[in-house]
Amino acid sequence: MSDARIPLPFHEAAPAALEDGQLRRNLAHVTHAIRAKRADATAELPDWEALRQAGKAIKDHTLRNLGTYLRRLETRVEAAGGHVHWARDADEANRIVRRLVAAEGVREVVKVKSMTTDEIDLNGALAEDGVVAIETDLAELIVQLAEEPPSHILVPAIHKNRAEIRRLFLDAFDLTPDQLSDDPAALAGAARRFLRERFLEARVAISGANFAVAETGTTCIVESEGNGRMCTTLPETLITVLGIEKVVPTWRDLEVFLQTLPRSSTAERMNPYTSFWTGVHGGDGPRHFHLVLLDGGRSATLADDVGRATLRCIRCSACLNVCPIYERVGGHAYGSTYPGPIGAILTPQLRGEPRDGELPYASTLCGACYDVCPVAIDIPSILVDLRRRTVDARRAAHPLPAADAVDAALRGAAAAFATPRRYEAAQRLARLGQAPWVRKGVLRNLPGPLAGWSDARDLRAIPRRAFRDWWRDREAARERGGDPA
Amino acid sequence: MPRASLFVPCYVDTLFPEAAQAMVRVLERLGVTLDFPRAQTCCGQMHVNTGYERDARPLVRHFVDVFGDADVVVAPSASCVATVRHAYAGIAERAGDPALAAAVAATTPRVREFSEYLVDDLGVTDVGASFPHTVTYHPACHAVRLLGVGDRPLQLLRAVDGLHLRELPRAEQCCGFGGTFAIKNPEISAAMLADKVADVLQARAEVVVAADESCLMHIGGGLARQRTAVRTMHLAEVLASREGVAA
């Protein structure tokens, strides 16, 4: 993945984000509000669990037969007058889109919010040709104007409040302070006036898609603002970039996802705008339609027995909204297009970069993400599996010495736990060795990696007698016929 | 007469022996014959969850060796039971050891978390305890989400004589411990703990109870650092309490 923003590693970015009080308040407010609404919206459906299992089954079936359905999709799109392009990776996808845009000779394109084009940094690639890509989703436009990456899959500007948004709009739309209040309706109105001009002028639109139906070659976008429909109907040329895992076999399958996606993401019964288009039609909609099918690490993920389930993801972002880690540090700390629990498993698999080995550790494994996932991805198990690979890969590269103090401690503990004799010796050693840190029965100012613990929490000193000592003494007393301890 | 083997995880054995002692008192009071295989050490949860699966493998083997013959294994730690029941099979499979996989498949379904054993195996919710204090219950993530213990601990607490149960606000939120997470990402862990401590104080209880001593170690550590008077107690300690007898 080409990423112009060189992010800090999570363990550095997260504490910095924690110190931003405004960010924490914004995030806590919004995630708790969406969380509660989502719970209500899913509880409304008596067959929610059945829908969840159906979504999982459809995705698993599709992934097992992905080649078949992608070839069918290609055939149907071409038959409907569209063109299909295959891209192995981000660079290839960007080259294809740049060539298509250059052929139209435009300096500006309008875009529908798309995680996939963010993943490949398409806007950055277009900028190299002097082409400006205007984001038309309100929140996406806000982060674009702020020159920041999105911080949430669904609510890219979740970390911004309306006062911050007003300041951005005053600058971008060249307004005086008295022309714009921080009233949400006024802010939306200002953005609408700006965007309407872009829609009417644009000859090329670029989108992602939520689903593509193999049986008819139809692509589908769900959205809330109508900007997606503008982009897919007004410009002459429509270029859609689609991750290959987004295909579904039939229209019938959409029945499931068009219920689970909106309820999981925005807690709505249905999205305000659900748009479908199939190829090109004389006198209506775009005259040229290009579908770019992106692999970008997906085939490698598909080949993995444990990781494969990650590709079921329909980008609803429910896992972000319930994640206690995401709630505290926000999306930017993850340093990837996909933040939160899904990002912590998707990013390392798609990118395959050693730097991302840290992301699977950004979790307490509390399991809240698995509970809410509408396609039942067992995110905690995949996190643990990715941790295992990270450790194995590091050890293969550097067998000795230990990578860090935590590594050394864990390897030492494993050796100590291997036999009861060593375990009990280690227990005695810890009891004796703790003396320098015990103050009034509490362990304070612990050394090395344990400092992170004792900075914020007390830990009671190790008691004189372990349970096993109590049990042994009690058994001995019983054998002597005495009173148990 | 029911028989059960005690599995006392390493950190409970070493740091919180009173929780395991309390479990022994409750179970013996209910007529269970207990044994404690002294060869037991650690289930390997910390290693498994941190990615040190290769180091956990001998611990998995050791666990099934120690408990292979037990009728039922009972433990006062939801997260350790969850590790045994959910992680062991995959570890044995990836080790490419069919004998180990068979031993795991035979042993792990007999491993129970304390409240599961009381309610499901013994069919008891009233253990004859008396604890005249205000209590709030923290549903440990692994107890709720991995083991699905549901309201079993609450059924047990509601049957305790004199106990006043108060709801913990945002109870389902993780306390931020997460094993090595508290060491690797101490700042986020502390931020989550601060919110949990605030919720506990809002519940205005004397005691926070959980079925997992690891969450309590974390929550208790935060409460103590803030010099609050709220104590933490394992579910077994509350259930072991009787009128006029200290837990």
Side-chain angles (χ1 to χ4, degrees):
Chain A
M1 191 187 296
S2 66
D3 201 338
R5 331 172 281 257
I6 301 300
L8 289 170
F10 184 82
H11 76 273
E12 287 178 36
L18 273 173
E19 283 173 21
D20 185 341
Q22 184 65 52
L23 174 79
R24 270 180 80 182
R25 281 188 295 278
N26 293 352
L27 282 170
H29 174 72
V30 180
T31 56
H32 280 264
I34 300 183
R35 205 181 287 183
K37 280 166 69 182
R38 189 212 72 94
D40 291 345
T42 55
E44 240 178 41
L45 291 181
D47 59 345
W48 178 255
E49 191 52 37
L51 282 169
R52 193 171 174 244
Q53 293 307 322
K56 171 180 187 268
I58 292 168
K59 281 285 182 177
D60 283 348
H61 166 82
T62 312
L63 291 168
R64 271 198 304 277
N65 303 283
L66 193 59
T68 304
Y69 290 119
L70 286 173
R71 279 190 296 274
R72 191 169 299 166
L73 176 70
E74 179 184 35
T75 307
R76 300 290 191 268
V77 169
E78 303 260 353
H83 303 280
V84 174
H85 311 260
W86 298 82
R88 238 180 315 256
D89 54 22
D91 285 343
E92 196 171 358
N94 285 335
R95 270 201 306 277
I96 293 166
V97 178
R98 283 165 76 167
R99 184 165 46 75
L100 294 170
V101 172
E104 299 291 330
V106 296
R107 300 323 263 167
E108 189 176 291
V109 299
V110 286
K111 275 190 73 202
V112 187
K113 170 176 150 25
S114 148
M115 301 304 291
T116 313
T117 58
D118 193 58
E119 176 188 322
I120 62 176
D121 189 24
L122 178 61
N123 292 8
L126 289 170
E128 286 178 32
D129 296 340
V131 174
V132 179
I134 305 281
E135 295 291 348
T136 63
D137 172 87
L138 180 55
E140 196 76 28
L141 175 66
I142 291 166
V143 292
Q144 184 176 43
L145 294 175
E147 295 180 9
E148 286 176 20
S151 73
H152 188 283
I153 288 178
L154 195 87
V155 200
I158 192 171
H159 57 296
K160 294 239 173 280
N161 64 24
R162 57 192 191 177
E164 293 168 300
I165 294 165
R166 173 172 175 265
R167 281 195 293 278
L168 283 171
F169 282 4
L170 287 176
D171 280 352
F173 306 150
D174 208 15
L175 299 172
T176 57
D178 59 309
Q179 287 175 301
L180 184 63
S181 74
D182 68 357
D183 175 48
L187 293 170
R192 182 181 291 119
R193 279 188 295 280
F194 170 78
L195 288 172
R196 286 283 155 101
E197 286 175 24
R198 305 275 101 65
F199 288 131
L200 291 171
E201 283 171 10
R203 282 173 39 220
V204 177
I206 298 175
S207 82
N210 295 92
F211 306 99
V213 184
E215 75 175 343
T216 53
T218 303
T219 34
C220 167
I221 282 189
V222 295
E223 39 112 9
S224 303
E225 297 169 16
N227 62 304
R229 187 158 295 175
M230 296 273 197
C231 286
T232 55
T233 48
L234 289 171
E236 289 165 27
T237 299
L238 174 61
I239 304 167
T240 299
V241 183
L242 186 83
I244 53 173
E245 82 283 16
K246 298 277 184 74
V247 67
V248 295
T250 67
W251 273 81
R252 182 89 196 264
D253 300 318
L254 291 174
E255 173 211 350
V256 172
F257 300 115
L258 293 181
Q259 293 183 76
T260 52
L261 178 58
R263 286 179 196 261
S264 298
S265 56
T266 48
E268 288 167 303
R269 292 174 180 143
M270 194 178 171
N271 290 90
Y273 294 88
T274 301
S275 305
F276 300 96
W277 70 99
T278 308
V280 292
H281 305 273
D284 184 25
R287 262 169 276 162
H288 311 286
F289 171 57
H290 296 273
L291 181 62
V292 181
L293 294 172
L294 172 73
D295 187 314
R298 287 157 175 82
S299 290
T301 308
L302 185 64
D304 185 274
D305 284 343
V306 179
R308 181 179 308 138
T310 313
L311 297 181
R312 285 187 216 139
C313 176
I314 55 172
R315 312 286 189 264
C316 73
S317 74
C319 63
L320 276 62
N321 300 328
V322 293
C323 179
I325 315 297
Y326 179 90
E327 180 190 333
R328 266 69 180 199
V329 302
H332 291 157
Y334 292 81
S336 78
T337 297
Y338 307 100
I342 189 66
I345 61 170
L346 187 58
T347 302
Q349 294 188 90
L350 292 188
R351 292 206 285 215
E353 285 179 27
R355 187 187 66 184
D356 300 321
E358 216 191 14
L359 289 182
Y361 288 95
S363 167
T364 60
L365 306 178
C366 80
C369 49
Y370 184 18
D371 269 6
V372 297
C373 178
V375 284
I377 302 172
D378 183 354
I379 294 176
S381 291
I382 300 174
L383 287 168
V384 169
D385 198 61
L386 290 170
R387 293 176 182 188
R388 176 179 65 79
R389 285 157 203 241
T390 302
V391 171
D392 286 349
R394 196 174 59 206
R395 279 201 190 163
H398 313 282
L400 284 168
D404 56 33
V406 175
D407 186 53
L410 282 166
R411 290 160 79 166
F417 293 152
T419 71
R421 191 179 52 77
R422 277 196 242 163
Y423 166 76
E424 290 180 15
Q427 212 172 35
R428 281 192 298 275
L429 196 66
R431 200 178 294 132
L432 294 171
Q434 67 178 339
W437 292 281
V438 178
R439 299 272 180 286
K440 295 181 183 166
V442 171
L443 290 163
R444 288 289 176 99
N445 303 317
L446 289 168
L450 293 174
W453 174 278
S454 61
D455 281 351
R457 312 153 190 86
D458 284 350
L459 182 63
R460 153 176 118 177
I462 303 171
R464 196 174 47 80
R465 229 168 34 145
F467 171 79
R468 57 183 56 224
D469 302 324
W470 174 83
W471 180 271
R472 181 198 55 215
D473 294 349
R474 199 179 74 137
E475 294 297 291
R478 279 186 173 173
E479 272 175 34
R480 288 195 305 271
D483 201 26
Chain B
M1 189 104 129
R3 300 180 58 85
S5 295
L6 296 168
F7 163 40
V8 180
C10 57
Y11 76 101
V12 176
D13 179 33
T14 309
L15 282 167
F16 304 100
E18 67 277 15
Q21 289 165 17
M23 184 173 81
V24 169
R25 283 200 202 94
V26 173
L27 295 178
E28 288 186 342
R29 194 197 295 158
L30 295 170
V32 184
T33 304
L34 297 170
D35 74 294
F36 174 74
R38 196 179 170 95
Q40 64 181 277
T41 61
C42 163
C43 70
Q45 179 190 180
M46 187 170 63
H47 293 89
V48 175
N49 285 354
T50 313
Y52 288 71
E53 183 174 308
R54 280 198 303 178
D55 302 275
R57 244 179 249 162
L59 303 178
V60 172
R61 205 180 302 269
H62 186 65
F63 186 94
V64 296
D65 282 350
V66 169
F67 291 108
D69 294 332
D71 292 347
V72 181
V73 182
V74 190
S77 172
S79 58
C80 296
V81 172
T83 298
V84 172
R85 289 221 300 250
H86 290 273
Y88 273 24
I91 295 170
E93 191 188 317
R94 279 186 294 275
D97 185 339
L100 181 63
V104 164
T107 308
T108 54
R110 287 181 274 120
V111 182
R112 307 271 192 284
E113 183 274 326
F114 176 57
S115 73
E116 288 178 331
Y117 181 68
L118 289 177
V119 177
D120 299 352
D121 291 65
L122 299 182
V124 176
T125 47
D126 186 346
V127 300
S130 167
F131 190 70
H133 297 281
T134 310
V135 165
T136 193
Y137 171 71
H138 167 69
C141 297
H142 288 175
V144 176
R145 300 201 179 95
L146 273 171
L147 295 182
V149 301
D151 70 345
R152 289 177 185 82
L154 288 169
Q155 291 177 35
L156 291 158
L157 287 172
R158 285 193 198 106
V160 173
D161 197 35
L163 185 146
H164 180 55
L165 192 63
R166 295 192 66 129
E167 201 172 324
L168 179 64
R170 301 191 290 175
E172 78 293 347
Q173 297 278 303
C174 175
C175 71
F177 174 58
T180 49
F181 177 80
I183 306 288
K184 281 179 171 279
N185 291 286
E187 299 89 354
I188 309 173
S189 173
M192 291 166 69
L193 175 61
D195 292 341
K196 181 59 75 178
V197 165
D199 290 341
V200 166
L201 294 178
Q202 207 188 318
R204 290 186 294 116
E206 296 163 74
V207 183
V208 193
V209 175
D212 204 312
E213 198 69 75
S214 57
C215 311
L216 291 178
M217 174 169 73
H218 192 232
I219 298 170
L223 287 165
R225 179 60 58 92
Q226 290 198 19
R227 296 170 183 279
T228 72
V230 183
R231 284 191 300 153
T232 54
M233 280 172 82
H234 191 277
L235 176 66
E237 292 179 82
V238 174
L239 300 185
S241 300
R242 312 201 76 166
E243 199 109 46
V245 182

